[in-house]
Amino acid sequence: MANCLPACINSWSGLYDLKGSADDKILIEDGVQVPEAHKRFWNIDLVVCEATGCNKGVPFARKQYVKGKRQAYDTPIYVTKEQKAYILKLMKQDVAFFTRFGLMDYSMIVGVYRPPPGFTQQALEQSFSHLHSIPHASHYKGDMTVLFVGIIDFLQAWTRSKRCAHLVKACCAPPPISTIPPSQYAIQFMQFFQWKFRGVAHPLRPISAKPLENSHGPKESEQRNLEIELQKLKLMIASLVEKLTASEARVAQLESCLI
């Protein structure tokens, strides 16, 4: 998770662990860590109370935790149209890679930071680094946010224990469940974030657009051109990786036919 979130932000407006299932949860809300209160199968009283809708036997901490889980699943995330397209494109490449190797149950870590008025540009400059995901700044209906996203916990294979857990959760757990085969998980994951990210927000000025003395000087202009070239190269590399992944999958398919 450290390679997705910048270390310079120590008070998140919201930090979410999202799978596109009933397992979604809020980790931090308004700078305060949300304590986890899990339901265990051996706690029969709690299981029965929640199943029947009787909240008298449900602890307050558990009620707040469940409320946060529903909020994490239902609340949309507002980004610009371009930001949504960029994020989903990278997600598609990653998810295709995970599916190829039979991986599932991965999560999207989403960090939402609302900088103080007048400090948005400073927050962008401090958090901009190649060591973690890039910041996505936007504003929607007066709400100005800086967003960080990244996929975590992606080494879980579709094992026998997960197959057994699937049978149990399919009968007892609230849908949608996250313990499903990799191909199904990939489809559910992508469809959820296609809905979750709403590309209706408005962009902020890019970092390089900050007014400075002699902002039109040769150094600033050269730096801007280098940034543009860097972004083009990143997109080109992403496209080549996608094509390489598809080619390797085709080679494996043909080899299996020849055996």
Side-chain angles (χ1 to χ4, degrees), residues 113-132:
Y113 177 63
R114 292 180 173 86
F119 286 87
T120 303
Q121 195 70 41
Q122 179 180 343
L124 285 173
E125 291 178 340
Q126 291 178 347
S127 60
F128 190 82
S129 170
H130 297 295
L131 299 178
H132 53 71

Side-chain angles (χ1 to χ4, degrees), residues 7 11 23 32 43 52 78 86 104 162 176 188 207 236 242:
S11 180
D23 289 332
V32 179
N43 193 337
T52 58
Y78 296 102
Y86 176 78
M104 42 77 68
K162 285 296 181 180
Q188 177 176 283
I207 296 176
M236 185 183 301
E242 184 177 8

Side-chain angles (χ1 to χ4, degrees), residues 7-254:
C8 62
I9 298 178
N10 52 22
S11 180
W12 293 96
S13 304
L15 188 61
Y16 306 91
D17 185 336
L18 306 176
K19 298 175 182 285
S21 72
D23 289 332
D24 290 358
K25 56 188 175 184
I26 299 178
L27 303 177
I28 296 176
E29 185 175 21
D30 295 331
V32 179
Q33 186 172 358
V34 178
E36 297 186 3
H38 296 290
K39 176 178 65 177
R40 302 304 184 187
F41 70 90
W42 58 79
N43 193 337
I44 303 300
D45 293 339
L46 181 58
V47 172
V48 172
C49 286
E50 289 197 352
T52 58
C54 176
N55 292 324
K56 290 184 178 180
V58 180
F60 177 77
R62 173 64 185 175
K63 292 179 183 178
Q64 292 299 107
Y65 183 64
V66 172
K67 179 182 177 182
K69 287 171 67 69
R70 292 171 181 164
Q71 180 181 338
Y73 182 86
D74 293 333
T75 304
I77 299 173
Y78 296 102
V79 293
T80 68
K81 182 179 179 181
E82 293 75 16
Q83 289 169 350
K84 177 179 179 178
Y86 176 78
I87 294 172
L88 290 179
K89 179 180 179 179
L90 296 183
M91 282 181 60
K92 184 178 179 181
Q93 296 170 2
D94 290 342
V95 168
F97 179 82
F98 300 149
T99 305
R100 177 187 171 196
F101 288 95
L103 302 175
M104 42 77 68
D105 208 23
Y106 37 86
S107 302
M108 174 77 81
I109 189 74
V110 178
V112 179
Y113 177 63
R114 292 180 173 86
F119 286 87
T120 303
Q121 195 70 41
Q122 179 180 343
L124 285 173
E125 291 178 340
Q126 291 178 347
S127 60
F128 190 82
S129 170
H130 297 295
L131 299 178
H132 53 71
S133 60
I134 65 172
H136 301 280
S138 64
H139 65 95
Y140 178 72
K141 293 186 177 180
D143 185 22
M144 191 171 299
T145 60
V146 181
L147 188 76
F148 297 86
V149 299
I151 297 180
I152 61 173
D153 300 337
F154 47 79
L155 296 179
Q156 177 60 57
W158 182 237
T159 60
R160 291 182 180 179
S161 61
K162 285 296 181 180
R163 289 182 171 90
C164 293
H166 167 73
L167 297 177
V168 175
K169 289 188 175 183
C171 298
C172 306
I177 62 175
S178 58
T179 312
I180 53 179
S183 58
Q184 296 179 28
Y185 190 91
I187 294 173
Q188 177 176 283
F189 193 78
M190 288 300 302
Q191 289 179 344
F192 172 74
F193 284 101
Q194 179 70 40
W195 167 85
K196 188 77 168 176
F197 291 118
R198 309 292 176 88
V200 295
H202 304 286
L204 301 180
R205 291 183 304 172
I207 296 176
S208 58
K210 182 179 179 180
L212 298 170
E213 295 182 2
N214 300 324
S215 60
H216 299 288
K219 290 185 178 180
E220 286 74 17
S221 177
E222 181 180 355
Q223 180 178 357
R224 178 56 180 165
N225 291 335
L226 289 174
E227 290 177 355
I228 294 175
E229 182 180 359
L230 178 62
Q231 291 299 324
K232 288 181 179 179
L233 289 173
K234 286 184 176 180
L235 292 175
M236 185 183 301
I237 291 173
S239 177
L240 291 173
V241 170
E242 184 177 8
K243 292 179 180 179
L244 179 60
T245 302
S247 299
E248 289 177 345
R250 181 56 178 167
V251 169
Q253 182 182 9
L254 293 174

